Amino acid sequence: MLGTGTSSGVPAIGCDCPVCRSTDPRDRRTRPSILINLGSSGAGSGSDPALASAVRSVLVDTSTDLRAQALANDVRRVDAILFTHAHADHVFGIDEVRRFNAMQRSAIPIMAAPSTLAEIRRMFEYIFKPPPAHGGGLPKLVPFAIGGPFTLGGWEFVPIPLLHGPLPILGFRVGSFAYLTDCNDIPAASWPLLDGVRTLVLDALRDRPHSTHFSVTQALEIVARLRPEQAYFTHVAHDLAHEATCARLPAGVQLAYDGQMLEIHE
Ligand SMILES: [Zn+2]
Ligand SMILES: [Zn+2]
Ligand SMILES: [Zn+2]
């Protein structure tokens, strides 16, 4: 879990609330992102030769805090990047990918829904249509449009269509793990895709309802229906103190925190 906070981060700039003033490191939340390290799985290869079967380290979103997250977690390799959607908190670290390009001496595939790719191309025109006299380096990214399940490093990744207010976005499932951030509804057609998920990371912004994110109560309803063995709430605002909130959540449900490592055995 590279980042588990909402878009403003926790602490929020200029806020004196108890969570922003907390000394519990789990109350410091950077912008939402995860890194998936794929274990050995039988080395299948992707159908696309550009997506080498050697893919091991998959980043989900390039958060505003990507540089700090990579340093804090000693991330040295990113083989592919998946995007859930193109909101600022999920994409504004995209320039930091230059460092991985340099270390790996290669371009890095980025994968997203066609609408998200179009938005990223528009937001970061300097990357995809660089001006002739551009100075510093540019991230080297190879876009792939997600049209259904795809294979990375021998693992099948299943995109999970979600609703983030009116905006359709993607969650991702790998094996029995699912990452569903930035959503306040799971469309009926997506439920079968989540059958058998045992480890769930799910959006839960705060207690009060919100127009584009699940509240804690709503997230608990999803957990009750899906019945994973473990659920971790992410995209958490400064309304929720880590320890006090975990103490009132049911068994098997907790707030995720930055730097948390989930080990998943298939
Ligand atoms: Zn977000
Ligand atoms: Zn605060
Ligand atoms: Zn969002």
Side-chain angles (χ1 to χ4, degrees):
M1 308 298 302
L2 297 181
T4 61
T6 191
S7 58
S8 50
V10 181
I13 294 171
C15 185
D16 292 319
C17 81
V19 177
C20 288
R21 289 276 158 186
S22 165
T23 55
D24 184 339
R26 297 167 301 178
D27 284 327
R28 301 187 74 84
R29 303 176 184 126
T30 59
R31 268 55 75 87
S33 178
I34 63 170
L35 184 76
I36 301 172
N37 281 312
L38 298 168
S40 52
S41 71
S45 58
S47 47
D48 193 305
L51 302 176
S53 60
V55 168
R56 281 289 164 260
S57 183
V58 179
L59 180 67
V60 182
D61 293 331
T62 56
S63 96
T64 315
D65 296 307
L66 175 54
R67 176 175 171 275
Q69 291 166 346
L71 291 171
N73 295 280
D74 198 23
V75 178
R76 287 164 182 260
R77 185 164 186 91
V78 170
D79 297 307
I81 301 170
L82 316 183
F83 285 100
T84 57
H85 64 309
H87 280 168
D89 48 330
H90 297 258
V91 300
F92 274 13
I94 200 166
D95 210 58
E96 312 300 351
V97 176
R98 288 176 303 158
R99 186 66 194 127
F100 296 102
N101 292 139
M103 287 191 291
Q104 296 163 210
R105 299 170 198 272
S106 67
I108 294 176
I110 63 170
M111 317 185 66
S115 56
T116 299
L117 280 183
E119 188 69 0
I120 289 172
R121 285 177 184 276
R122 187 189 64 76
M123 293 170 83
F124 301 100
E125 195 179 63
Y126 77 95
I127 296 176
F128 299 97
K129 274 193 249 169
H134 188 81
L138 293 169
K140 294 184 184 64
L141 310 172
V142 184
F144 288 87
I146 294 176
F150 53 95
T151 303
L152 289 174
W155 291 87
E156 184 184 51
F157 282 70
V158 182
I160 311 287
L162 302 169
L163 281 172
H164 183 24
L167 182 71
I169 76 138
L170 292 181
F172 295 101
R173 175 180 184 166
V174 195
S176 66
F177 170 79
Y179 180 62
L180 312 180
T181 188
D182 289 68
C183 51
N184 66 334
D185 194 15
I186 300 178
S190 293
W191 281 95
L193 305 175
L194 294 167
D195 260 356
V197 162
R198 296 198 300 272
T199 306
L200 174 68
V201 177
L202 180 64
D203 187 338
L205 182 73
R206 63 187 189 193
D207 285 319
R208 280 179 299 135
H210 187 274
S211 56
T212 63
H213 295 276
F214 283 128
S215 66
V216 169
T217 303
Q218 292 168 329
L220 286 173
E221 288 166 8
I222 300 297
V223 170
R225 180 167 166 189
L226 204 56
R227 300 172 60 85
E229 287 166 14
Q230 297 292 332
Y232 302 86
F233 291 166
T234 191
H235 217 291
V236 177
H238 64 164
D239 308 54
L240 302 178
H242 183 89
E243 193 165 303
T245 307
C246 286
R248 65 180 162 92
L249 291 173
V253 185
Q254 55 185 287
L255 297 190
Y257 57 88
D258 285 26
Q260 186 173 24
M261 185 102 68
L262 311 181
E263 205 170 312
I264 289 140
H265 300 276
E266 298 295 345

